[in-house]
Amino acid sequence: MFSSDLVRRIVKLALSALGCVLLLMMAANAWVVSATREFIVDDMSHLDVHDVGVVLGTSPFTRYGNQNLLFTHRMMAAAELYAAGRVRHLLLSGANPDRTYNEPRKMYQALRRLGVPDSALTFDFAGFRTLDSIVRAQQVFGLDRFVIISQRYHDYRALFIARYNGADAVAYIRAQEDRRQPLRAEAREYLARFKALIDLFLLDTGPRFLGPPRRIEIIEREPVFDFVVTDQTIAPLYVVPLRRPSIAVAPRPPLAYPDQRAGAPASSERRDKE
């Protein structure tokens, strides 16, 4: 039987260990945020012209089946940058683990409705996590300078990964977007930043799937229209197009990488993922 003194010592050690972990997490988050905040832009007039914007994937639906405003704002930010001529091409990077869940395809459909032409969109179906999307953008698609398109709270981590790997990356967010995000998303991101440092500095984690290089063909062009948001309630992109499409082309069904379907867990479109 344990004595009371031994129990107290065990409790103190456990609390001390927990305190150390919490301090490490706080320090990790402070480092990631402070190292990247200067590279986040919310005014596109302050953004240089880039060949490619990397749109990070998420589901158009929340886990409860409602419209996911994170998805909506990302698509609007990407369409605004393209329309203003700040990016010439968009790389849509997200997860496609099986036939029931396909983030790049949903992003493609939303951006086509917002007037971005088919020729300006490239799929990356192996963006299973943020690290995969960023590293693949560099190693598979050959990008060393690009704009990350997501939310501010997510951009810190994505930028840290990109710049750690030597990319000249910046991030763009919509000025109209509410900086306050759902508590669950913020808490998950807090843990994800800590894990990102472990992946980068301790485990040297790489993408789940790389594959052969695929260069993006950039088409030189002038801005095609002025994108003005008049509906501040932000109607669902997958129901109501906010701008007239510039080219009426039916989307081609994308093909996932062969090894993505093997052993993939069952899922549905009503799932949020970062």
Side-chain angles (χ1 to χ4, degrees):
M1 188 175 221
F2 294 113
S3 66
S4 58
D5 287 341
L6 181 59
V7 171
R8 280 196 294 269
R9 288 178 186 176
I10 293 175
V11 171
K12 286 182 179 180
L13 285 173
L15 291 176
S16 297
L18 179 60
C20 289
V21 171
L22 291 176
L23 286 175
L24 283 173
M25 290 180 61
M26 292 173 64
N29 274 265
W31 183 19
V32 170
V33 172
S34 63
T36 56
R37 61 159 53 101
E38 65 179 293
F39 302 109
I40 299 178
V41 179
D42 60 7
D43 183 350
M44 72 172 65
S45 66
H46 298 158
L47 188 68
D48 294 334
V49 175
H50 287 69
D51 282 340
V52 179
V54 179
V55 190
L56 299 180
T58 190
S59 171
F61 303 100
T62 68
R63 57 170 42 195
Y64 303 109
N66 300 320
Q67 176 193 359
N68 183 4
L69 290 181
L70 301 181
F71 175 90
T72 303
H73 278 292
R74 287 185 204 184
M75 299 309 104
M76 296 181 75
E80 288 170 343
L81 287 179
Y82 179 81
R86 296 295 175 173
V87 296
R88 299 186 177 97
H89 200 93
L90 294 169
L91 175 62
L92 313 181
S93 182
N96 173 209
D98 55 51
R99 294 181 181 276
T100 66
Y101 188 78
N102 192 323
E103 290 175 349
R105 181 176 177 81
K106 291 297 182 183
M107 291 192 284
Y108 173 89
Q109 292 169 345
L111 289 168
R112 291 292 290 112
R113 290 189 176 98
L114 288 172
V116 180
D118 184 89
S119 59
L121 300 171
T122 293
F123 294 101
D124 176 12
F125 297 107
F128 297 104
R129 29 184 314 212
T130 301
L131 184 145
D132 294 55
S133 294
I134 298 300
V135 174
R136 282 178 55 81
Q138 296 174 257
Q139 296 186 18
V140 175
F141 295 94
L143 306 180
D144 54 15
R145 182 175 182 269
F146 51 88
V147 180
I148 296 170
I149 302 170
S150 184
Q151 274 71 38
R152 182 184 296 272
Y153 79 101
H154 185 206
D155 286 334
Y156 295 125
R157 175 164 53 105
L159 281 168
F160 193 94
I161 294 170
R163 301 190 78 85
Y164 172 86
N165 285 285
D168 180 13
V170 296
Y172 173 72
I173 60 171
R174 302 188 72 239
Q176 301 93 327
E177 183 172 1
D178 190 345
R179 294 189 180 187
R180 296 169 297 175
Q181 301 298 341
L183 179 61
R184 178 176 174 273
E186 293 277 8
R188 184 175 57 184
E189 185 60 29
Y190 199 84
L191 296 173
R193 291 176 195 148
F194 182 56
K195 187 177 186 306
L197 295 186
I198 294 176
D199 285 336
L200 294 175
F201 292 97
L202 295 181
L203 303 180
D204 193 25
T205 303
R208 176 174 163 185
F209 181 85
L210 269 177
R214 297 169 54 202
R215 300 303 176 186
I216 295 176
E217 181 181 355
I218 307 298
I219 300 176
E220 295 290 338
R221 63 167 196 89
E222 295 295 327
V224 292
F225 56 76
D226 293 325
F227 191 97
V228 179
V229 179
T230 57
D231 183 4
Q232 296 302 321
T233 62
I234 311 178
L237 295 180
Y238 42 88
V239 175
V240 181
L242 299 182
R243 291 292 297 184
R244 174 179 56 82
S246 57
I247 302 178
V249 178
R252 298 189 304 267
L255 297 176
Y257 293 114
D259 66 327
Q260 284 180 247
R261 303 196 187 282
S267 60
S268 67
E269 290 289 1
R270 295 189 175 186
R271 178 174 101 183
D272 58 340
K273 163 263 178 194
E274 198 61 76

